[in-house]
Amino acid sequence: MHAFDVLGDPVRRRILELLAGGEMTSGALCEVIGEEFGISQPGVSQHLKVLRENGFATVRPEGTRRLYAVNAEPLQDIDAWLDRFRRFWTPHLDALATELARGKRARRLRDTDETPRSTHDRRDP
């Protein structure tokens, strides 16, 4: 299965988002995914299987529990593929960052000018 086929499913993307925060048990994943997507435990297990078989997730047993984690290698492959396209959005994001910084600076200067001075700071003409 191609990487984008694996990540094309919103449930699998959400599972990876959860795992990006650190290892999780299959039970904890099933609880969150079940609440958010209305999927049963066997359904979540199928998504976990697809992620494992395609290298996006790892699993390790710990007693009776199974702990899942993100495997970064396939994500690095996707990042390398996306690198060809970054030139299309990077300048726009840089321009946006510049405009946001200008807006923050303007607000800060405006707020500084509007700050009332204490009575002893005012000078009589």
Side-chain angles (χ1 to χ4, degrees), residues 8 10 21 36 40 51 57 59 62 66 101:
E36 291 181 7
S40 66
L51 290 169
V59 64
E62 185 178 86
R66 293 195 171 281

Side-chain angles (χ1 to χ4, degrees), residues 18-114:
L18 292 168
L19 293 176
E23 282 186 324
M24 290 183 73
T25 64
S26 56
L29 287 166
C30 287
E31 185 177 323
V32 173
I33 297 300
E35 285 178 18
E36 291 181 7
F37 292 92
I39 297 174
S40 66
Q41 183 274 328
V44 175
S45 293
Q46 282 299 106
H47 286 290
L48 287 168
K49 180 180 177 184
V50 170
L51 290 169
R52 272 192 339 269
E53 288 179 349
N54 287 279
F56 285 90
T58 60
V59 64
R60 70 178 178 87
E62 185 178 86
T64 59
R65 303 180 323 160
R66 293 195 171 281
L67 292 169
Y68 286 84
V70 170
N71 180 16
E73 189 175 324
L75 296 172
Q76 292 167 350
D77 294 340
I78 290 171
D79 186 55
W81 185 85
L82 284 171
D83 200 43
R84 292 182 246 169
F85 303 97
R86 283 195 174 85
R87 66 184 169 97
F88 295 112
W89 65 76
T90 300
H92 300 292
L93 292 175
D94 291 344
L96 176 61
T98 299
E99 289 304 314
L100 290 172
R102 283 182 184 155
K104 286 180 184 177
R105 183 174 184 272
R107 277 192 305 280
R108 191 173 55 249
L109 290 173
R110 184 188 68 230
D111 292 347
T112 301
D113 290 343
E114 292 175 1

Side-chain angles (χ1 to χ4, degrees), residues 7-29:
L7 297 179
D9 186 281
V11 173
R12 291 192 285 268
R13 283 195 311 271
R14 181 63 177 133
I15 290 170
L16 286 177
E17 288 171 2
L18 292 168
L19 293 176
E23 282 186 324
M24 290 183 73
T25 64
S26 56
L29 287 166

